[in-house]
Amino acid sequence: MAVTVLAMVLQRNLFSVVVLFSIYSFLMATVLVALDAVDVAMTEAAVGAGVSTVLLLGALHLTGGTEAKRLERPLVPLALAVAVGAVLAYGSLGLPSFSDPLAPIHTHVAPRYLGASVEETGVPNVVSAVLASYRGYDTLGETIVVFTAGAGVIALLRRRRKGR
Amino acid sequence: MSAVAAHFSYWVTLFLMIAGLYILIARGNLMKKLIGLGVFQTSVYLLYIAPGKLVGGTAPIVAAGFTTYSNPLPHVLILTAIVVGVATLALGLAITVRIREAYGTIEEDEILERDRTGER
């Protein structure tokens, strides 16, 4: 995965970058399966690797080809990125270690969801139960965001046709 | 567990995050910037999902014979994030296409140059 990302940073042919991004999304989906997040992995493979790639290829068709080479060396962004990374790595040392059953994430609401959701919603898949039942308003908000984005895309691309 | 093994997942996340951030800042091409944003986003998925995993656990689908499950809440949040992410990506690409129509380029510095000279 790291190799794919590095190749994406270096590659200037945008078509290759899009294909690499698709490969990267599939690798990410595999990692998510390994982390027991099967629902998320399925969504990532379908949406991240599928829909995103189609959208990127479509946009690439309309905007075309390769990326221009910048004149100055990108030292400032590199330094900034490394500095942010160093600070975050220092911060990560204070986080609970991997797969620690006593970490706050596992002791807050999760046990209740796992224990009571079958009884309360009748859905054995806890992710679906939480998504559609306990956090239903969240999902409603999500659909509003998607609707707004779709409306925005249509508005932007329709104006273009009228302008011609 | 040693400190390295205990925090390895965070460091993978951080590497992806920094790579995304670097692409986002250093590259002038708008398409490339959006892809960098995508890499950054996927690193955030990992940031949420990795702490929810328990070694020896299974996916959070309640069934007989299993007692340990990974935490379902981050999964729900990230499902929402993926869908919202693709929506923002679509919007960003639409804007990029419009910029290309208006300016004839999607390179940031060329766009700024044209704005400065007032030429369209």
Side-chain angles (χ1 to χ4, degrees):
Chain A
M1 198 146 77
V3 174
T4 326
V5 172
L6 284 181
M8 261 196 292
V9 175
L10 297 175
Q11 182 63 253
R12 286 185 187 276
N13 182 345
L14 286 176
F15 181 74
S16 324
V17 175
V18 171
V19 172
L20 282 169
F21 187 63
S22 176
I23 295 172
Y24 167 80
S25 292
F26 272 119
L27 287 173
M28 178 57 86
T30 317
V31 171
L32 291 174
V33 171
L35 289 171
D36 285 344
V38 281
D39 303 74
V40 184
M42 243 183 301
T43 314
E44 171 69 11
V47 173
V51 178
S52 297
T53 310
V54 171
L55 289 175
L56 282 167
L57 285 177
L60 202 61
H61 176 67
L62 291 172
T63 56
T66 45
E67 184 189 14
K69 205 167 174 70
R70 276 261 175 115
L71 292 177
E72 76 270 34
R73 302 279 298 161
L75 284 179
V76 175
L78 190 64
L80 185 69
V82 170
V84 170
V87 172
L88 289 177
Y90 174 69
S92 79
L93 291 177
L95 290 172
S97 45
F98 183 67
S99 183
D100 178 3
L102 296 178
I105 187 173
H106 293 300
T107 53
H108 195 236
V109 289
R112 189 184 176 286
Y113 282 147
L114 287 169
S117 71
V118 174
E119 210 176 288
E120 287 179 357
T121 64
V123 184
N125 186 336
V126 184
V127 175
S128 309
V130 176
L131 187 72
S133 184
Y134 296 106
R135 299 186 65 92
Y137 282 114
D138 214 17
T139 309
L140 181 67
E142 172 194 346
T143 55
I144 290 171
V145 170
V146 174
F147 173 76
T148 314
V153 169
I154 291 172
L156 280 165
L157 296 186
R158 268 190 60 172
R159 241 185 88 210
R160 174 179 67 120
R161 271 195 215 110
K162 230 178 268 172
R164 254 189 206 156
Chain B
M1 216 189 300
S2 74
V4 173
H7 294 92
F8 184 67
S9 67
Y10 294 119
W11 294 341
V12 173
T13 309
L14 284 180
F15 172 75
L16 296 177
M17 201 175 265
I18 290 162
L21 186 68
Y22 174 74
I23 298 179
L24 200 59
I25 303 174
R27 295 288 184 255
N29 188 298
L30 295 178
M31 287 279 287
K32 191 84 176 260
K33 272 183 194 288
L34 283 172
I35 290 173
L37 198 62
V39 173
F40 197 101
Q41 255 172 3
T42 46
S43 82
V44 176
Y45 306 161
L46 209 56
L47 179 72
Y48 270 63
I49 300 287
K53 162 80 176 166
L54 283 175
V55 171
T58 180
I61 299 172
V62 175
F66 296 104
T67 47
T68 317
Y69 301 101
S70 60
N71 194 331
L73 190 58
H75 299 186
V76 176
L77 300 180
I78 295 308
L79 275 178
T80 309
I82 291 178
V83 177
V84 170
V86 82
T88 51
L89 177 74
L91 196 60
L93 288 174
I95 293 173
T96 310
V97 171
R98 272 294 295 154
I99 288 175
R100 158 84 183 177
E101 307 249 313
Y103 288 84
T105 177
I106 51 169
E107 297 290 334
E108 198 180 40
D109 33 9
E110 291 173 24
I111 292 169
L112 291 175
E113 183 63 37
R114 274 178 212 203
D115 270 349
R116 219 172 295 131
T117 55
E119 160 214 352
R120 278 287 167 94

Coordinates of all heavy atoms in Angstrom, one line a residue, chain B residues 44-97:
Chain B
V44 N -8.1 8.5 7.3 CA -9.0 8.8 8.4 C -9.9 7.5 8.7 O -10.2 7.2 9.8 CB -9.8 10.0 8.2 CG1 -10.8 10.2 9.3 CG2 -8.9 11.2 8.1
Y45 N -10.3 6.8 7.6 CA -11.0 5.6 7.8 C -10.2 4.6 8.7 O -10.8 4.0 9.6 CB -11.3 4.9 6.5 CG -12.0 5.6 5.4 CD1 -12.0 5.2 4.1 CD2 -12.7 6.8 5.7 CE1 -12.6 5.9 3.1 CE2 -13.3 7.5 4.7 CZ -13.3 7.0 3.4 OH -13.9 7.7 2.4
L46 N -8.9 4.5 8.3 CA -8.1 3.6 9.1 C -7.9 4.1 10.5 O -7.9 3.2 11.5 CB -6.7 3.5 8.4 CG -6.0 2.2 8.5 CD1 -6.8 1.1 8.0 CD2 -4.7 2.3 7.7
L47 N -7.8 5.4 10.7 CA -7.7 5.9 12.1 C -8.9 5.5 12.9 O -8.7 5.3 14.1 CB -7.6 7.5 12.0 CG -7.5 8.2 13.3 CD1 -6.1 8.0 13.9 CD2 -7.7 9.7 13.1
Y48 N -10.1 5.5 12.3 CA -11.3 5.1 13.1 C -11.4 3.6 13.3 O -11.8 3.2 14.4 CB -12.5 5.7 12.4 CG -12.9 7.0 12.8 CD1 -12.1 8.1 12.6 CD2 -14.1 7.3 13.5 CE1 -12.4 9.4 13.0 CE2 -14.5 8.5 13.8 CZ -13.7 9.6 13.6 OH -14.0 10.8 14.0
I49 N -11.1 2.9 12.2 CA -11.4 1.5 12.3 C -10.4 0.7 13.1 O -10.7 -0.2 13.9 CB -11.4 0.9 10.8 CG1 -12.5 1.6 10.0 CG2 -11.7 -0.6 10.9 CD1 -13.9 1.2 10.3
A50 N -9.1 1.1 13.0 CA -8.1 0.3 13.6 C -8.2 0.1 15.1 O -8.1 -1.0 15.7 CB -6.7 0.8 13.3
P51 N -8.6 1.2 15.9 CA -8.7 1.0 17.3 C -9.9 0.2 17.7 O -10.0 -0.4 18.8 CB -8.9 2.5 17.8 CG -8.5 3.4 16.8 CD -8.7 2.7 15.5
G52 N -10.9 0.0 16.8 CA -12.1 -0.8 17.1 C -11.9 -2.3 17.0 O -12.7 -3.0 17.4
K53 N -10.7 -2.7 16.4 CA -10.4 -4.1 16.2 C -10.0 -4.7 17.6 O -9.2 -4.1 18.3 CB -9.3 -4.2 15.2 CG -8.6 -5.5 15.2 CD -9.3 -6.6 14.5 CE -8.5 -7.9 14.4 NZ -9.3 -9.0 14.1
L54 N -10.4 -5.9 17.8 CA -9.9 -6.7 19.0 C -9.3 -8.0 18.4 O -10.0 -8.7 17.7 CB -11.0 -7.0 19.9 CG -11.5 -5.9 20.9 CD1 -12.7 -6.3 21.7 CD2 -10.4 -5.4 21.8
V55 N -8.1 -8.3 18.8 CA -7.5 -9.5 18.3 C -8.3 -10.7 18.9 O -8.6 -10.7 20.1 CB -6.0 -9.6 18.7 CG1 -5.4 -11.0 18.4 CG2 -5.2 -8.5 18.0
G56 N -8.6 -11.6 18.0 CA -9.5 -12.8 18.5 C -10.9 -12.5 18.3 O -11.8 -13.4 18.5
G57 N -11.3 -11.2 18.0 CA -12.7 -10.9 17.8 C -13.2 -11.2 16.4 O -12.4 -11.7 15.5
T58 N -14.4 -10.9 16.1 CA -15.0 -11.2 14.8 C -15.8 -10.0 14.4 O -16.0 -9.0 15.2 CB -15.8 -12.5 14.7 OG1 -16.2 -12.6 13.4 CG2 -16.9 -12.4 15.7
A59 N -16.3 -10.0 13.1 CA -17.1 -8.8 12.6 C -18.3 -8.7 13.5 O -18.9 -9.7 14.0 CB -17.5 -9.1 11.2
P60 N -18.8 -7.5 13.7 CA -19.9 -7.3 14.6 C -21.3 -7.8 14.1 O -22.2 -7.0 13.8 CB -19.9 -5.8 14.9 CG -19.3 -5.2 13.7 CD -18.3 -6.2 13.2
I61 N -21.4 -9.0 13.8 CA -22.7 -9.6 13.4 C -23.0 -10.7 14.5 O -22.2 -11.7 14.6 CB -22.6 -10.3 12.0 CG1 -22.3 -9.2 11.0 CG2 -23.9 -10.9 11.7 CD1 -22.0 -9.7 9.6
V62 N -24.0 -10.5 15.3 CA -24.3 -11.3 16.4 C -24.6 -12.7 16.0 O -25.6 -12.9 15.2 CB -25.4 -10.7 17.3 CG1 -25.7 -11.6 18.5 CG2 -24.9 -9.4 17.8
A63 N -23.9 -13.7 16.5 CA -24.2 -15.1 16.1 C -23.8 -16.0 17.3 O -22.9 -15.6 18.1 CB -23.4 -15.5 14.8
A64 N -24.4 -17.2 17.3 CA -24.0 -18.1 18.4 C -22.6 -18.5 18.2 O -22.1 -18.7 17.1 CB -25.0 -19.3 18.4
G65 N -21.9 -18.7 19.3 CA -20.5 -19.2 19.3 C -19.5 -18.1 19.3 O -18.3 -18.4 19.4
F66 N -19.9 -16.8 19.2 CA -18.9 -15.8 19.2 C -19.3 -14.9 20.4 O -20.4 -14.5 20.7 CB -18.9 -15.0 18.0 CG -18.5 -15.7 16.8 CD1 -19.5 -16.2 15.8 CD2 -17.2 -16.1 16.5 CE1 -19.1 -16.9 14.7 CE2 -16.8 -16.8 15.5 CZ -17.8 -17.2 14.5
T67 N -18.2 -14.5 21.1 CA -18.5 -13.5 22.2 C -17.7 -12.2 22.0 O -18.2 -11.2 22.5 CB -18.0 -14.1 23.6 OG1 -16.7 -14.7 23.4 CG2 -19.0 -15.2 24.0
T68 N -16.6 -12.2 21.3 CA -15.8 -11.0 21.1 C -16.1 -10.4 19.7 O -16.0 -11.1 18.7 CB -14.3 -11.3 21.2 OG1 -14.1 -12.2 22.3 CG2 -13.6 -10.0 21.4
Y69 N -16.5 -9.2 19.7 CA -16.8 -8.5 18.4 C -15.9 -7.3 18.3 O -15.7 -6.7 19.4 CB -18.2 -8.2 18.2 CG -19.2 -9.3 18.3 CD1 -19.9 -9.6 19.5 CD2 -19.3 -10.2 17.2 CE1 -20.7 -10.7 19.6 CE2 -20.2 -11.3 17.3 CZ -20.9 -11.6 18.5 OH -21.7 -12.6 18.5
S70 N -15.6 -6.9 17.1 CA -14.9 -5.5 17.0 C -16.0 -4.5 17.2 O -17.2 -4.8 17.0 CB -14.2 -5.4 15.7 OG -15.1 -5.5 14.6
N71 N -15.6 -3.3 17.5 CA -16.5 -2.2 17.9 C -17.3 -1.8 16.7 O -16.8 -1.3 15.7 CB -15.7 -1.1 18.4 CG -16.5 0.0 19.1 OD1 -17.7 0.1 18.8 ND2 -15.9 0.6 20.1
P72 N -18.7 -1.8 16.7 CA -19.5 -1.5 15.5 C -19.6 0.0 15.3 O -19.8 0.5 14.1 CB -20.8 -2.0 15.9 CG -20.9 -2.1 17.3 CD -19.5 -2.3 17.8
L73 N -19.4 0.9 16.3 CA -19.7 2.3 16.1 C -18.8 3.0 15.1 O -19.3 3.7 14.2 CB -19.6 3.0 17.5 CG -20.1 4.4 17.5 CD1 -21.5 4.5 17.0 CD2 -20.0 5.0 18.9
P74 N -17.4 2.7 15.1 CA -16.6 3.4 14.1 C -17.0 2.9 12.7 O -16.9 3.7 11.8 CB -15.2 2.9 14.4 CG -15.2 2.3 15.8 CD -16.6 2.0 16.1
H75 N -17.4 1.6 12.6 CA -17.8 1.2 11.2 C -19.0 2.0 10.7 O -19.0 2.4 9.5 CB -18.2 -0.3 11.3 CG -17.1 -1.2 11.8 ND1 -17.3 -2.6 11.8 CD2 -15.9 -1.0 12.3 CE1 -16.2 -3.1 12.3 NE2 -15.3 -2.2 12.6
V76 N -19.9 2.3 11.6 CA -21.1 3.0 11.2 C -20.7 4.4 10.7 O -21.0 4.9 9.7 CB -22.1 3.1 12.3 CG1 -23.3 4.0 12.0 CG2 -22.6 1.8 12.7
L77 N -19.8 5.1 11.6 CA -19.4 6.4 11.2 C -18.6 6.5 9.9 O -18.8 7.4 9.1 CB -18.5 7.0 12.4 CG -19.1 7.0 13.8 CD1 -18.2 7.6 14.8 CD2 -20.4 7.9 13.7
I78 N -17.8 5.4 9.7 CA -17.0 5.5 8.5 C -17.8 5.1 7.2 O -17.5 5.6 6.2 CB -15.8 4.6 8.6 CG1 -14.9 5.1 9.7 CG2 -15.0 4.4 7.4 CD1 -14.5 6.6 9.6
L79 N -18.8 4.3 7.4 CA -19.7 4.1 6.3 C -20.3 5.4 5.8 O -20.3 5.7 4.6 CB -20.9 3.1 6.7 CG -20.6 1.7 6.6 CD1 -21.9 0.9 7.1 CD2 -20.4 1.2 5.2
T80 N -20.8 6.2 6.8 CA -21.3 7.5 6.4 C -20.2 8.4 5.7 O -20.4 9.0 4.7 CB -21.8 8.2 7.7 OG1 -22.7 7.4 8.4 CG2 -22.5 9.5 7.4
A81 N -19.0 8.3 6.3 CA -17.9 9.1 5.8 C -17.5 8.7 4.4 O -17.3 9.6 3.5 CB -16.7 9.0 6.7
I82 N -17.6 7.4 4.0 CA -17.2 7.0 2.7 C -18.2 7.6 1.7 O -17.8 8.2 0.6 CB -17.2 5.5 2.6 CG1 -16.0 4.9 3.3 CG2 -17.1 5.0 1.1 CD1 -16.0 3.4 3.3
V83 N -19.5 7.5 2.0 CA -20.5 8.0 1.1 C -20.4 9.5 0.9 O -20.5 10.0 -0.2 CB -21.9 7.5 1.5 CG1 -23.0 8.1 0.6 CG2 -21.9 6.0 1.6
V84 N -20.2 10.2 2.0 CA -20.1 11.6 2.0 C -18.8 12.0 1.2 O -18.8 12.9 0.4 CB -20.1 12.3 3.4 CG1 -19.7 13.7 3.3 CG2 -21.4 12.1 4.0
G85 N -17.8 11.2 1.4 CA -16.5 11.5 0.7 C -16.7 11.4 -0.8 O -16.2 12.2 -1.6
V86 N -17.4 10.4 -1.3 CA -17.6 10.3 -2.8 C -18.5 11.4 -3.3 O -18.3 11.9 -4.4 CB -18.1 8.9 -3.2 CG1 -19.6 8.7 -3.0 CG2 -17.7 8.6 -4.6
A87 N -19.4 11.9 -2.4 CA -20.2 13.0 -2.8 C -19.4 14.3 -3.0 O -19.5 15.0 -4.0 CB -21.3 13.2 -1.8
T88 N -18.5 14.5 -2.0 CA -17.6 15.7 -2.1 C -16.7 15.6 -3.3 O -16.4 16.5 -4.0 CB -16.9 15.9 -0.9 OG1 -16.2 14.7 -0.5 CG2 -17.7 16.4 0.3
L89 N -16.2 14.3 -3.6 CA -15.3 14.1 -4.7 C -16.0 14.5 -6.0 O -15.5 15.1 -6.9 CB -14.9 12.7 -4.7 CG -14.0 12.3 -5.9 CD1 -12.6 12.9 -5.7 CD2 -13.9 10.8 -6.1
A90 N -17.3 14.0 -6.1 CA -18.0 14.3 -7.3 C -18.2 15.8 -7.5 O -18.0 16.3 -8.6 CB -19.4 13.6 -7.3
L91 N -18.5 16.5 -6.4 CA -18.7 18.0 -6.5 C -17.4 18.6 -6.9 O -17.4 19.5 -7.8 CB -19.2 18.5 -5.2 CG -19.8 19.9 -5.2 CD1 -21.0 19.9 -6.1 CD2 -20.2 20.3 -3.8
G92 N -16.3 18.2 -6.3 CA -15.0 18.8 -6.6 C -14.6 18.5 -8.1 O -14.1 19.5 -8.7
L93 N -14.9 17.3 -8.6 CA -14.6 17.1 -10.0 C -15.4 17.9 -10.9 O -15.0 18.4 -11.9 CB -14.8 15.6 -10.3 CG -13.8 14.7 -9.7 CD1 -14.2 13.2 -9.9 CD2 -12.4 14.9 -10.3
A94 N -16.7 18.1 -10.5 CA -17.6 19.0 -11.3 C -17.0 20.4 -11.4 O -17.0 21.0 -12.5 CB -19.0 19.0 -10.8
I95 N -16.5 20.9 -10.2 CA -16.0 22.3 -10.2 C -14.7 22.3 -11.1 O -14.4 23.2 -11.8 CB -15.6 22.7 -8.7 CG1 -16.9 22.8 -8.0 CG2 -14.9 24.0 -8.7 CD1 -16.7 23.1 -6.5
T96 N -13.9 21.2 -11.0 CA -12.7 21.1 -11.8 C -13.0 21.2 -13.3 O -12.4 21.9 -14.1 CB -11.9 19.8 -11.5 OG1 -11.8 19.7 -10.1 CG2 -10.6 19.8 -12.2
V97 N -14.0 20.5 -13.7 CA -14.4 20.5 -15.1 C -14.9 21.9 -15.5 O -14.5 22.4 -16.6 CB -15.6 19.5 -15.3 CG1 -16.2 19.6 -16.7 CG2 -15.1 18.1 -15.2

